[in-house]
């Protein structure tokens, strides 16, 4: 019988710690599939900072770094500057990248650091118990916005893809979603392009992935995906915000 | 060998390059800026990289990445900047990564000023960041010693897979002195089988300081403690100056020690048996230097450019066997030799006890 679906080589065959219905698993798989398809597994180095994905280093089978909260782009800068012929990626959540690590991500992008960022935007801090993130939508209830996020108190959600796309150092900026199979296929294409941009040495590449957090949103998995599509996508429009002519 | 006139901060840069350092990540702060200036020019000449980060926090994390990827790497800062780096230093210690961090200490706390001080001693020798860890701390006292100690700093970092801090003060960074650089040697960096450089057909490597299971973290801490004990046993460094028959022993490091040498000479001229112990490693503190001295001398006077920090290590070492006194200036003020002589005379022969 012909095998048509198998575990990517780059992903270890162990159970993950993610909650049921969390889309981290999907994104991990997409990144691993891309690494396999591009045949870069042996020279890829990943960086997992603090947040739900802190244990990503246990799941990806390539060399990995664990970085402190928000600092993955600085760590990746150090790695890539020492080893320019390796493929380096960071895997960061929205609390990590859009709050405490804003300085690092903006300046790594501005310098045009030649690594790839996988940015998981689930509109909440998940690991620490569902607090408001910079990406939390207006009106969205979290443990620290029990009455809903109020622009007068908490300001507005941060649109990272749009923000980074205006920097000259960024070569590829895309926002994708993984709430249904069609979007998962598109997400993989974007992730692959981001890695190709790095392989072509064109500059900084980032893919923002709209993701579901059923546990902290207080929704069953299927409803969480629906909530994502209906609430997040209108505020965080999908698409390629920036791409070099050389790539697809 | 020809002698060159070099500024302390520049000597750190040259010493680092000669020790095989090829990567520097840093953020500007006075009074250490001549060091990044020097390396921005010098590192590209030897195929290295100078990269100015957006903050001290980013700089130390770039060091973390570069060190984990197998490079000989350095950063530098002063007081407030070093405070920002503490998070990263804790991670470097936790992940057992070798690197060199230079602190040209200025007056604090807070923004303080840009004048020379030694008031970051606690921060340097007690960990500074979170968790149970130690950083090897070297304290040169002359521009020549800077050149020599930079090689030592990188070698110790590699040998123990641990961050090494070179602690000077603003004066040491700014002073110019003649130095002998010696032959420039080809430096072979020891192999780093633990570095995460991409598997390249080999085993998976992980650079990490997270041990979520308490039993595992305790084991990691105990392993680190064993390493620190070994460093403490093997790496204590100090200089002795005119200790013969000393009834009063001065203890000082860095610039304060230079002032104390003048004090010792002046006192000896006047017939007072005064000597000096100058710690070169602040951690491990050179307790071995004191053991042969404690029974022979009558008292100790610790002189610092702070309100008294190293004096605690001297008291721990002397452990009540002799009285330990303190004299210090702070906020960028210097202990003037005449004032220290006055302190010595007050204590010499037992007055002031």
């Amino acid at each position: 019988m012909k095998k048509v679906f198998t575990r990517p080589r780059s992903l270890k065959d162990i159970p993950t710690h993610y909650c049921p219905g969390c889309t981290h698993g999907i994104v991990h798989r997409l990144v691993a599939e891309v690494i396999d398809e591009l045949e870069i597994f042996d020279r890829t180095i990943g960086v997992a900072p603090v947040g739900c994905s802190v244990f990503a280093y246990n799941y990806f089978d390539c060399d990995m770094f664990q970085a402190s909260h928000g600092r993955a782009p600085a760590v990746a800068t150090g790695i890539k500057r020492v080893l320019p012929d390796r493929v380096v990626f960071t895997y960061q959540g929205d609390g990590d990248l859009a709050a405490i690590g804003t300085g690092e991500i903006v300046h790594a992008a501005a310098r045009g650091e030649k690594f790839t960022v996988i940015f998981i935007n689930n509109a909440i801090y998940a690991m620490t118990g569902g607090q408001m993130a910079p990406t939390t939508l207006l009106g969205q209830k979290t443990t620290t916005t029990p009455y809903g996020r109020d622009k007068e108190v908490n300001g507005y959600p941060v649109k990272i893809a749009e923000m980074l796309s205006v920097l000259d150092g960024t070569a590829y900026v895309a926002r994708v979603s993984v709430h249904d199979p069609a979007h998962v296929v598109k997400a993989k294409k974007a992730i692959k392009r981001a890695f190709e941009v790095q392989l072509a040495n064109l500059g900084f590449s980032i893919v923002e992935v709209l993701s579901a957090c059923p546990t902290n949103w207080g929704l069953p998995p299927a409803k969480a995906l629906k909530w994502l599509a209906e609430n997040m996508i209108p505020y965080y429009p999908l698409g390629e915000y920036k791409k070099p002519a050389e790539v697809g | 060998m020809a002698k060159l006139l070099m500024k302390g901060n520049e000597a750190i840069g040259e010493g680092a390059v000669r020790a095989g350092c090829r990567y520097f990540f840093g953020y500007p702060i006075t009074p250490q800026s001549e060091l990044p200036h020097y390396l921005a020019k010098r590192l590209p000449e030897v195929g290295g990289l100078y990269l100015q980060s957006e903050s001290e926090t980013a700089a130390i994390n770039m060091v973390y990445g570069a060190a984990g990827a197998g490079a000989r790497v350095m950063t530098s800062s002063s007081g407030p900047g070093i405070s920002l780096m503490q998070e990263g230093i804790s991670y470097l210690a936790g992940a057992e990564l070798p690197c060199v961090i230079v602190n040209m200490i200025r007056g604090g706390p807070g923004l303080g000023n840009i004048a020379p001080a030694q008031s970051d001693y606690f921060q340097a020798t007690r960990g500074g960041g979170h968790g149970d860890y130690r950083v090897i701390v070297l304290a040169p006292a002359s521009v020549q010693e800077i050149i020599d100690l930079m090689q030592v700093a990188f070698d110790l970092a590699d040998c123990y897979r641990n961050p090494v801090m070179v602690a000077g003060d603003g004066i040491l960074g700014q002073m110019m002195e003649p130095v002998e650089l010696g032959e420039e040697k080809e430096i072979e960096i020891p192999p780093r089988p633990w570095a995460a450089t991409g598997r390249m057909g080999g085993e998976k490597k992980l650079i990490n300081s997270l041990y979520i299971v308490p039993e595992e973290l305790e084991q990691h801490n105990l392993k680190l403690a064993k390493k620190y004990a070994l460093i403490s046993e093997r790496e204590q460094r100090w200089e002795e100056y005119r200790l013969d028959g000393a009834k009063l022993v001065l203890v000082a490091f860095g610039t304060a020690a230079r002032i104390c040498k003048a004090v010792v000479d002046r006192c000896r001229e006047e017939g007072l048996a005064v000597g000096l112990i100058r710690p070169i490693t602040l951690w491990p503190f050179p307790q071995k230097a004191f053991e042969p001295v404690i029974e022979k001398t009558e008292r100790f006077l610790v002189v610092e450019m702070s309100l008294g920090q190293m004096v605690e290590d001297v008291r721990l070492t002397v452990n009540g066997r002799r009285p330990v006194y303190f004299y210090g200036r702070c906020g960028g003020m210097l202990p003037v030799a005449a004032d220290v002589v006055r302190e010595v005379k007050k204590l010499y022969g037992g007055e002031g006890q």
Side-chain angles (χ1 to χ4, degrees):
Chain A
M1 195 185 284
K2 194 183 164 199
K3 207 180 217 183
V4 293
F5 190 78
T6 184
R7 182 180 56 83
R9 159 78 187 87
S10 304
L11 215 50
K12 277 193 180 170
D13 188 10
I14 51 170
T16 67
H17 71 289
Y18 300 118
C19 303
C22 166
T23 42
H24 265 308
I26 295 172
V27 187
H28 275 28
R29 184 179 171 97
L30 296 182
V31 173
E33 283 179 358
V34 165
I35 292 172
D36 284 6
E37 285 169 22
L38 294 172
E39 296 180 347
I40 51 172
F41 167 72
D42 242 3
R43 58 183 177 116
T44 293
I45 304 168
V47 187
V50 173
C52 281
S53 59
V54 70
F55 290 117
Y57 61 72
N58 282 330
Y59 311 139
F60 288 103
D61 205 19
C62 53
D63 273 7
M64 293 290 292
F65 279 66
Q66 173 263 315
S68 52
H69 200 22
R71 319 298 181 215
V75 172
T77 297
I79 300 167
K80 186 75 183 190
R81 293 297 186 121
V82 170
L83 302 167
D85 61 339
R86 304 300 201 271
V87 180
V88 177
F89 75 95
T90 71
Y91 189 102
Q92 305 178 254
D94 44 11
D96 185 75
L97 181 142
I100 193 168
T102 327
E104 281 80 2
I105 198 68
V106 167
H107 289 281
R111 285 192 303 268
E113 295 293 344
K114 294 174 185 69
F115 58 79
T116 300
V117 176
I118 307 300
F119 168 43
I120 306 299
N121 177 359
N122 57 14
I124 207 156
Y125 277 82
M127 181 180 252
T128 46
Q131 297 89 356
M132 185 193 77
T135 45
T136 294
L137 297 172
L138 291 179
Q140 187 183 336
K141 286 186 179 173
T142 71
T143 49
T144 50
T145 54
Y147 308 110
R149 180 174 183 161
D150 177 358
K151 65 180 168 52
E152 296 304 324
V153 180
N154 308 111
Y156 295 89
V158 179
K159 295 179 173 177
I160 290 292
E162 288 86 338
M163 203 170 96
L164 295 185
S165 64
V166 300
L167 297 173
D168 291 337
T170 54
Y172 184 76
V173 182
R175 184 184 287 122
V176 297
S177 174
V178 286
H179 69 280
D180 65 28
H183 284 89
V184 169
V185 171
K186 280 187 190 165
K188 182 175 169 185
K189 268 189 192 148
I191 291 169
K192 195 163 185 177
R193 275 182 182 160
F195 275 90
E196 283 166 348
V197 161
Q198 179 179 175
L199 287 168
N201 236 7
L202 299 175
F204 182 87
S205 54
I206 179 167
V207 179
E208 175 174 344
V209 186
L210 302 187
S211 297
C213 180
T215 300
N216 287 298
W217 292 354
L219 294 170
K223 278 191 178 162
L225 295 174
K226 195 163 173 274
W227 187 89
L228 186 164
E230 288 172 0
N231 296 279
M232 287 184 74
I233 294 177
Y235 193 82
Y236 297 115
L238 307 180
E240 288 177 306
Y241 284 81
K242 194 174 193 178
K243 59 176 180 177
E246 291 93 324
V247 176
Chain B
M1 184 63 61
K3 286 207 168 185
L4 275 173
L5 197 59
M6 277 194 108
K7 205 170 197 178
N9 281 334
E10 294 173 344
I12 290 176
E14 186 57 33
V17 168
R18 282 165 181 258
C21 172
R22 291 294 177 270
Y23 295 89
F24 179 92
F25 302 94
Y27 185 83
I29 185 170
T30 308
Q32 59 80 58
S33 292
E34 294 85 357
L35 169 52
H37 299 173
Y38 188 85
L39 286 175
K41 193 163 177 287
R42 185 76 170 98
L43 277 172
E45 287 174 4
V46 291
L49 170 79
Y50 165 86
L51 186 65
Q52 190 164 312
S53 62
E54 63 272 28
S55 68
E56 288 90 346
T57 315
I60 195 71
N61 281 282
M62 290 173 185
V63 167
Y64 180 92
R72 267 205 165 166
V73 55
M74 180 170 95
T75 187
S76 69
S77 193
S78 182
I82 295 289
S83 293
L84 285 173
M85 289 182 181
Q86 290 301 335
E87 174 202 45
I89 297 173
S90 168
Y91 273 71
L92 282 153
E96 295 192 87
L97 294 179
C99 68
V100 173
I101 302 144
V102 176
N103 184 6
M104 279 298 164
I105 307 170
R106 54 190 266 178
L111 200 48
N113 62 18
I114 57 168
Q118 295 180 328
S119 46
D120 296 355
Y121 181 94
F122 282 155
Q123 187 192 46
T125 60
R126 264 58 179 171
H130 57 285
D132 230 338
Y133 76 94
R134 295 286 190 173
V135 165
I136 299 169
V137 186
L138 299 172
S142 72
V143 180
Q144 181 66 56
E145 196 180 17
I146 283 174
I147 296 279
D148 304 334
L149 279 186
M150 288 314 289
Q151 180 73 54
V152 174
F154 280 99
D155 289 346
L156 287 176
D158 270 350
C159 179
Y160 297 104
R161 283 183 60 187
N162 206 69
V164 173
M165 181 174 281
V166 175
D169 59 72
I171 291 186
L172 197 61
Q174 298 298 322
M175 68 164 60
M176 289 185 90
E177 286 187 313
V179 290
E180 233 172 69
L181 288 175
E183 289 289 315
E184 202 165 340
K185 288 177 292 189
E186 199 56 46
I187 298 286
E188 237 179 81
I189 298 179
R192 292 157 145 75
W194 45 265
T197 57
R199 292 183 61 161
M200 309 305 272
E203 291 293 301
K204 171 178 169 153
K205 276 96 59 196
L206 171 66
I207 303 297
N208 182 30
S209 64
L210 175 62
Y211 297 83
I212 202 84
V213 180
E215 286 83 352
E216 287 176 14
L217 182 56
E218 186 177 47
Q219 283 312 309
H220 179 58
N221 272 297
L222 290 172
K223 183 187 145 206
L224 291 178
K226 225 171 166 179
K227 172 168 89 175
Y228 302 145
L230 187 68
I231 296 172
S232 199
E233 174 54 35
R234 282 194 194 158
E235 305 298 345
Q236 297 183 21
R237 287 157 201 260
W238 69 91
E239 183 195 354
E240 297 174 358
Y241 187 64
R242 301 185 79 169
L243 281 179
D244 49 299
K247 285 166 75 176
L248 184 143
V249 173
L250 290 163
V251 189
F253 69 97
T255 294
R258 290 174 70 127
I259 295 163
C260 284
K261 272 191 182 174
V263 171
V264 168
D265 290 343
R266 214 178 285 181
C267 290
R268 288 275 177 176
E269 273 170 34
E270 293 185 31
L272 303 177
V274 177
L276 169 72
I277 293 174
R278 174 174 75 91
I280 295 172
T281 49
L282 302 185
W283 194 86
F285 188 72
Q287 295 183 320
K288 290 178 183 178
F290 290 77
E291 286 312 320
V293 177
I294 294 171
E295 301 300 329
K296 290 184 197 158
T297 192
E298 290 174 8
R299 51 191 63 79
F300 292 88
L301 172 61
V302 182
V303 179
E304 296 179 69
M305 287 150 63
S306 75
L307 284 181
Q309 300 193 13
M310 184 177 70
V311 64
E312 294 192 2
D313 278 332
V314 178
R315 288 206 172 108
L316 282 169
T317 304
V318 173
N319 200 17
R321 286 173 283 177
R322 292 289 181 272
V324 176
Y325 301 92
F326 173 74
Y327 177 76
R329 297 297 301 270
C330 60
M333 297 300 292
L334 291 177
V336 178
D339 294 339
V340 183
V341 170
R342 201 174 307 128
E343 283 300 306
V344 169
K345 285 182 177 169
K346 217 159 67 185
L347 297 169
Y348 195 87
E351 302 131 64
Q353 278 186 61

